[in-house]
């Protein structure tokens, strides 16, 4: 590692000159920093560098913090933050060690996360000392969480406080991990069975011209998309991750703000999440590890405006809100039934060193199939207990069961025709 | 309105040619569609058009759905959605009428929301019939929500079910509104006391070159930033909005996923949100309107990775986690104490026709001051009841009170020095 070159002095752009990233002339002589995606040794892999300061000292398109990069830009434009601010990362290293796992060395197992993103300060220390602008894309901390539903589970005798993982006051000890998306474009393209060129062009054109470097800088292979990332909540002894004997309970949860926070009764999101946490606590109490992945993919990644438009269309249609037309109403408005793309989702499981899930707390085939296709064994699928389904959410549940979700009771055509959701005025 | 020109036939881009938005030649002859921000008559204001299909038939930079535009782009690149899909918006109109209010006709009162965004199909029907690609940026629906904390409030006698707003089973009737950000760039710049050029340049350069049109197309005055928007929950009879006699209770809540969903005990976010909802229900039961605004500004708009890095730094510092150094640890990592920019926040209140808030459920001066400066009267500020503050969140609460948050008990220096937060290993 003694051959780390110093980054040439950062050019301060003169105040009057704007460098348009799409003009070939602005990139003359700018060769990306070396990066070998999937290399087992981080020295060989090389860091992801998305610095704004020096077009010659980077290898990624975009910048850090996902969509929050816009707020950072606003802070600098408004004079409240210095563009040259370098984070002081003292004491910020992971609260517990995590990895490396063999999956990190497979360039195709993980394509949307930087597996070394939480320990950049450690594995890329020499580069940082040589002046490279390297920032963490993952943070690992510890917390106590407390959800009212878990109190109910204790009262009902389903959960028993153990004084460690689950305290008598309902506090649950967790390790939690925040992750920003880091897309290795050749790997993402392969996941969707398209060419890298098609992917780059689609991302550029269909966002209204975001990041011309997607099409002008084919040599920059990594993209930090301005989208929400994910949070992982881990229950139990996380040093057991990556060991085949460790039993794993897991729920992959896609954000639904209306239910997750406000308890809206049109879907089963928060009840199923709370049930997943209950199963994770049980598993951890028995010596396994529980894993909740919370993905920022509001409204099937269509966003909440589209979601609410669909709610109105469902509740106003002739014959009322019924399972029969559940997916169709979304497709009319959005053009697709679902935009979550679970193709990239298994990455997080491989990052955690998981090769078998003993209890998958999900009925969704759209989640189950890519997990299994990515080489992870699923032993048991845990449906949501019937008593946790809100009345208005029967429409969703029936539609999903009829569409092939995991269940032992597939509703028939007559059942699907019944209006079960409230009208808008009720 | 008979003079709405037909949009010239949409050019289908030939598969081989990529139009780089930053090349002046690609924009030759493309004049933006007319838009007069703040005009009282929607016919005169004109619609916001951010179509991808026709550079001559738009007036906005970027595209719809905020950060979810990336998923849409991915869907098209992967061949799962047709680029030319036009939404079928049958039955999607607002579940209840909302506005217009006099504030909509003031170009400086609202600069980050399109006030006509929920009724585009109605007020721009002629343009839509003439082929303009106009999409809603706001959706209004109705829902029932149910939060366990409200059951506690009923049990404790603080809330009484009335069979309408609050049912005996804890269900609360709400009208809810999802809003995507629509930035009128001259207005946003003015809010931050910078020039439009400085704003455009900062947004372009500090995001790593996102949207060259920010700097090449000064004639496009509207920008749809790829960031999270907001959701508004309204309690009571919303036809009373905009009437001076109507009492308004309000909490402006900035997203904190760890507390809002999982009940992490390091902060007061979910307890304060639940208390705000309680106050809103009370107000609605007495004939007023309750307003909860949920802003997608995770971790003070620094994102969750930065937030967790700061948690580690706080809990590991010498002398433990204490109020004295609460803000400092964020500033070391992020360069600022807070990146939420409440400068744009009052827009939503003006959109709702609010000119007086009777009960503001917030202790934050960073929220109070811009609300008052924007011309809205605040009658009473409601602090979080002491018994709702989790033990580990005392650090945050003391630090904020010492920094000038609304309170009758400002902690002294000795108090601030006491370590009150758990260590990482506890």
């Amino acid at each position: 590692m003694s051959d780390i070159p110093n980054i040439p002095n950062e050019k301060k752009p003169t105040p009057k000159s704007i460098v348009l990233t799409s003009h070939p002339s602005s990139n003359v002589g700018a060769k990306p920093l070396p990066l070998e995606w999937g290399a087992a040794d981080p020295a060989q892999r090389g860091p992801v560098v998305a610095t704004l300061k020096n077009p010659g000292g980077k290898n990624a398109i975009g910048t850090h913090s996902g969509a929050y990069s816009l707020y950072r830009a606003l802070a600098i434009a408004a004079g409240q933050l210095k563009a040259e601010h370098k984070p002081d990362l003292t004491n910020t290293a992971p609260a517990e060690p995590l990895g490396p796992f063999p999956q990190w060395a497979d360039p195709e197992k993980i394509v949307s996360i930087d597996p070394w993103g939480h320990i950049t300060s450690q594995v890329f220390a020499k580069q940082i000392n040589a002046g490279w602008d390297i920032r963490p894309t993952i943070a690992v901390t510890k917390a106590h969480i407390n959800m009212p539903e878990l109190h109910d589970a204790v009262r009902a005798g389903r959960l028993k406080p153990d004084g460690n993982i689950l305290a008598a006051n309902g506090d649950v000890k967790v390790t939690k991990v925040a992750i920003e998306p880091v897309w290795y474009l050749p790997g993402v393209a392969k996941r969707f069975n398209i060419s890298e060129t098609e992917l780059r062009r689609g991302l550029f054109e269909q966002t209204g011209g975001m990041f011309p470097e997607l099409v002008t800088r084919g040599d920059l292979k990594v993209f930090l998309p301005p989208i929400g990332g994910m949070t992982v909540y881990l229950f139990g002894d996380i040093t057991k991750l990556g060991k085949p004997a460790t039993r794993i309970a897991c729920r992959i949860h896609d954000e639904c703000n209306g239910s997750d926070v406000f308890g809206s009764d049109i879907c089963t999101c928060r009840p199923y999440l709370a049930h997943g946490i209950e199963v994770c606590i049980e598993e951890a109490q028995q010596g396994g590890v529980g894993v909740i992945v919370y993905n920022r993919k509001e409204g099937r990644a269509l966003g909440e405006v589209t979601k609410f438009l669909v709610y109105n269309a469902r509740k106003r249609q002739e014959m009322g809100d019924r399972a029969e037309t559940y997916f169709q109403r979304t497709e009319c408005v959005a053009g697709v039934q679902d935009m979550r793309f679970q193709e990239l989702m298994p990455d997080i499981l491989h990052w955690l060193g998981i090769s078998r899930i003993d209890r998958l707390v999900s009925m969704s085939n759209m989640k189950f199939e890519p997990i299994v296709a990515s080489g992870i064994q699923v032993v048991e699928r845990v449906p949501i207990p019937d008593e946790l389904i809100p009345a208005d959410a029967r429409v969703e549940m029936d539609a999903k069961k009829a569409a092939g979700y995991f269940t032992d009771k597939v509703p028939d055509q007559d059942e699907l025709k019944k209006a079960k959701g409230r009208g808008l005025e009720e």
Side-chain angles (χ1 to χ4, degrees), chain A:
Chain A
M1 291 280 293
S2 57
D3 56 343
I4 303 295
N6 281 303
I7 295 283
N9 278 341
E10 287 158 4
K11 292 179 220 162
K12 287 210 178 165
T14 51
K16 294 283 168 210
S17 72
I18 294 178
V19 180
L20 284 175
T21 52
S22 51
H23 288 203
S25 61
S26 65
N27 304 315
V28 168
K31 264 186 66 181
L33 293 175
L35 186 83
E36 190 184 322
W37 195 262
D41 176 1
Q44 196 186 338
R45 211 298 299 264
V48 169
V49 187
T51 186
L52 301 175
K53 294 175 204 158
N54 186 353
K58 73 175 194 173
N59 54 26
I61 298 164
T63 184
H64 287 283
S65 299
Y68 292 102
S69 58
L70 267 288
Y71 284 97
R72 188 180 167 279
L74 200 53
I76 293 169
Q80 299 187 25
L81 173 64
K82 291 213 166 87
E84 58 271 21
H85 168 77
K86 271 204 173 181
D88 166 5
L89 297 172
T90 307
N91 284 334
T92 62
E96 284 195 89
L98 215 160
F101 298 113
Q103 289 95 322
W104 297 14
D106 180 336
E108 299 198 359
K109 282 278 189 229
I110 301 173
V111 300
S112 60
I113 295 172
D114 176 4
W116 306 95
H118 55 317
I119 44 176
T120 47
S121 298
Q122 177 191 328
V123 297
F124 303 121
K126 289 194 181 171
Q127 290 93 330
I128 291 169
N129 287 337
W132 299 30
D133 184 9
I134 301 166
R135 310 204 174 185
T137 55
I138 301 177
V140 183
T141 190
K142 285 183 169 187
H144 287 197
I145 66 172
N146 199 312
M147 293 171 76
E149 290 86 344
L150 301 177
H151 296 229
D152 294 342
V154 169
R155 268 195 293 269
R158 296 197 305 273
L159 279 181
K160 286 191 178 47
D162 58 87
N164 177 27
I165 292 160
L166 175 62
N169 69 353
D171 272 10
V172 185
K173 276 190 195 168
V174 297
T175 302
K176 60 182 189 175
V177 187
I179 301 174
E180 285 170 18
V182 177
W183 287 3
Y184 178 61
L185 292 168
V188 172
K190 195 160 181 186
R191 235 18 113 72
F192 288 100
N193 290 314
I194 54 177
S195 71
E196 189 185 331
T197 305
E198 287 168 315
L199 174 68
R200 287 170 174 267
R201 184 174 176 157
L203 289 173
F204 172 71
E205 289 187 341
Q206 298 301 328
T207 51
M210 192 191 278
F211 295 118
E213 286 185 335
L214 285 166
V215 289
T216 63
R217 291 293 306 269
D219 57 335
L220 298 174
K221 295 296 182 188
V222 169
F223 175 41
L224 306 185
I227 57 175
M230 65 185 105
T231 319
V232 182
Y233 284 75
L234 298 164
F235 304 76
D237 177 1
I238 73 164
T239 65
K240 292 180 180 172
L241 284 169
K243 296 176 183 166
T246 306
R247 278 181 60 90
I248 301 283
C250 176
R251 173 164 175 81
I252 311 277
H253 187 87
D254 291 331
E255 172 174 23
C256 169
N257 191 258
S259 172
D260 293 344
V261 175
F262 292 91
S264 166
D265 71 346
I266 197 172
C267 59
T268 56
C269 297
R270 183 170 171 106
Y272 215 168
L273 175 64
H275 183 63
I277 292 172
E278 199 178 312
V279 172
C280 283
I281 293 171
E282 271 173 17
E283 201 63 62
Q285 288 179 327
Q286 290 161 22
V289 175
V291 179
I292 299 285
V293 179
Y294 193 91
N295 275 311
R296 304 297 181 103
K297 291 182 180 174
E298 177 62 58
R300 304 189 197 149
L302 295 163
E304 218 178 26
V305 170
T306 300
K307 183 178 186 170
F308 288 9
L309 295 174
V310 172
Y311 284 166
N312 285 347
R314 278 174 54 190
K315 291 194 171 285
R316 276 185 180 133
Q317 64 189 322
E318 272 188 70
M319 294 167 57
D321 188 16
R322 58 199 196 279
E324 194 183 30
T325 54
Y326 172 83
F327 289 109
Q328 198 187 320
R329 301 286 9 127
T330 305
E331 204 165 338
C332 283
V333 176
V336 290
Q337 292 181 1
D338 199 301
M339 207 118 75
R340 279 178 289 183
F341 294 112
Q342 304 293 357
E343 284 86 342
L344 302 174
M345 173 270 285
D347 285 18
I348 182 63
L349 302 170
H350 295 294
W351 183 70
L352 292 167
I354 292 171
S355 54
R356 191 192 67 246
I357 297 173
D358 295 276
R359 307 195 73 192
L360 178 66
V361 188
S362 168
M363 294 158 78
S364 166
N365 286 345
M366 281 186 289
K367 290 177 186 162
F368 173 74
E369 283 160 11
I371 291 172
V372 173
S374 80
I376 293 171
Q377 187 195 350
V378 173
V379 179
E380 185 195 351
R381 295 169 76 179
V382 183
I384 186 170
D386 230 42
E387 64 272 20
L388 296 182
I389 302 174
D392 200 47
R394 288 278 159 197
V395 176
E396 180 203 74
M397 194 43 74
D398 283 359
K400 288 181 170 178
K401 284 179 179 173
Y405 270 45
F406 173 71
T407 177
D408 46 6
K409 288 168 281 185
V410 181
D412 63 19
Q413 284 305 311
D414 284 347
E415 201 55 33
L416 295 179
K417 285 194 171 80
K418 290 182 193 159
K420 291 180 179 168
R422 261 197 320 277
L424 266 182
E425 298 311 315
E426 291 168 68

